[in-house]
Amino acid sequence: CMFSLGLKMDDHDSWPLKQLVEGIHYYLEDGLMVLTERYHLARGNCCGNGCRHCPYDHVNVSREERT
């Protein structure tokens, strides 16, 4: 739970992140790290990798990779 970590929904992370927190910045799925929207918002732009939780509408992902 985010509140047990002392974090609130309106907390903002600054880049670079000093520490990744599981359940806040990422979660594990089938042995892979999935980055959350909060992580991407702290990063500040689309990385171009087609991330599942990209809040930037995948602007740096090629059209071929979007389909």
Side-chain angles (χ1 to χ4, degrees):
C1 175
M2 289 179 23
F3 297 105
S4 66
L5 296 172
L7 300 172
K8 298 177 290 200
M9 289 301 290
D10 60 349
D11 283 347
H12 298 285
D13 300 305
S14 59
W15 192 259
L17 296 173
K18 294 181 182 179
Q19 178 180 355
L20 291 178
V21 179
E22 186 172 2
I24 302 296
H25 302 112
Y26 73 95
Y27 57 91
L28 299 176
E29 184 175 284
D30 299 326
L32 300 173
M33 181 185 287
V34 180
L35 300 171
T36 64
E37 180 178 12
R38 182 167 174 158
Y39 170 88
H40 292 292
L41 288 170
R43 187 177 192 284
N45 60 5
C46 175
C47 66
N49 290 317
C51 300
R52 180 182 298 175
H53 300 293
C54 180
Y56 303 107
D57 199 28
H58 299 107
V59 297
N60 293 324
V61 178
S62 70
R63 291 202 183 276
E64 295 82 30
E65 292 178 20
R66 289 186 201 185
T67 59

